[in-house]
Amino acid sequence: MNVPTVLKVTGAAAILVFANYVSAQSTYNPNLTSEGNRWEVTAYLDSSAGHVQLATQGICFYDIGVSGTHYLYYWVSDTFPNWNGIATQEGDQIFMHGDYAEDVGHDGFEWEIVTSSDKNAGAGHWKEWREDGKFGNTIGFANAHFQRVGRCEVKDPFEALDKYYDIGFPRDEFGKEITLPFGDLKLILETLK
């Protein structure tokens, strides 16, 4: 192989590597933080005929960075104690997992930012469960509606973990404590009857 051919091949390879690096470094738009990192998520019980509305919780997203084609975030609830996790975004798809109740309770979300909503809303699915040593104790499956509502008071995810670790349970419209991020288990069970 002569020198000009080697330079052409090496140059083409360098351009491909640089193009991949640049595309991986760019953030998605819309993303979960640039236009406001505080969102509210509302659960609607998937198995009820009328999709009964359950709880609404606040979630703050914090940038971690890029991993391949995914943009990563920490998330911390500012309305429910010690509820937090990791989120990943690829395009308009968001995947999240997290824990609460000293890591005994678990949540997972799969949702999409609805780009026609002026980048402020999203919709998808929410599941919540606890461990029991067998098949898990499923609390429920829900449709989830996400709404961007502004900026979080706390700017650092680790400070947010500390601040919201023991904030007390939120209360429903009747003043009753909501002890699951998803909502009132009694209401969930009554709706399923």
Side-chain angles (χ1 to χ4, degrees):
M1 196 179 286
N2 61 31
V3 172
T5 305
V6 169
L7 290 177
K8 286 179 190 175
V9 171
T10 305
I15 289 170
L16 285 173
V17 167
F18 181 73
N20 283 336
Y21 176 79
V22 169
S23 69
Q25 295 303 310
S26 62
T27 61
Y28 293 112
N29 190 16
N31 65 48
L32 302 180
T33 58
S34 63
E35 296 175 30
N37 66 329
R38 187 170 191 277
W39 293 70
E40 288 184 342
V41 58
T42 302
Y44 296 89
L45 190 59
D46 201 23
S47 56
S48 72
H51 286 76
V52 172
Q53 182 176 335
L54 299 170
T56 297
Q57 304 293 349
I59 294 179
C60 294
F61 290 96
Y62 300 94
D63 295 313
I64 295 175
V66 176
S67 175
T69 60
H70 287 227
Y71 201 77
L72 302 173
Y73 307 89
Y74 295 115
W75 64 267
V76 178
S77 175
D78 62 356
T79 59
F80 196 89
N82 192 27
W83 186 40
N84 50 72
I86 300 287
T88 184
Q89 178 178 4
E90 185 175 34
D92 60 358
Q93 293 184 318
I94 315 295
F95 300 94
M96 299 169 58
H97 67 80
D99 299 316
Y100 66 96
E102 303 299 328
D103 301 331
V104 174
H106 312 289
D107 288 277
F109 300 87
E110 297 88 29
W111 59 285
E112 292 185 16
I113 295 176
V114 182
T115 54
S116 64
S117 69
D118 196 25
K119 305 171 187 140
N120 291 315
H125 300 278
W126 179 355
K127 57 194 160 294
E128 190 165 290
W129 71 96
R130 291 211 171 189
E131 300 295 327
D132 74 356
K134 296 182 186 109
F135 297 108
N137 181 7
T138 300
I139 293 166
F141 295 93
N143 291 327
H145 177 263
F146 285 80
Q147 184 70 47
R148 190 189 314 260
V149 294
R151 297 228 171 256
C152 294
E153 176 186 321
V154 179
K155 307 286 188 240
D156 179 80
F158 298 99
E159 288 177 25
L161 284 174
D162 289 341
K163 180 172 182 166
Y164 302 120
Y165 179 82
D166 196 19
I167 57 174
F169 292 113
R171 296 187 177 272
D172 65 15
E173 64 273 15
F174 306 108
K176 183 179 180 230
E177 284 187 338
I178 300 171
T179 59
L180 302 167
F182 205 70
D184 183 356
L185 184 58
K186 184 177 178 185
L187 174 63
I188 295 167
L189 294 174
E190 286 175 1
T191 304
L192 294 175
K193 290 180 182 177

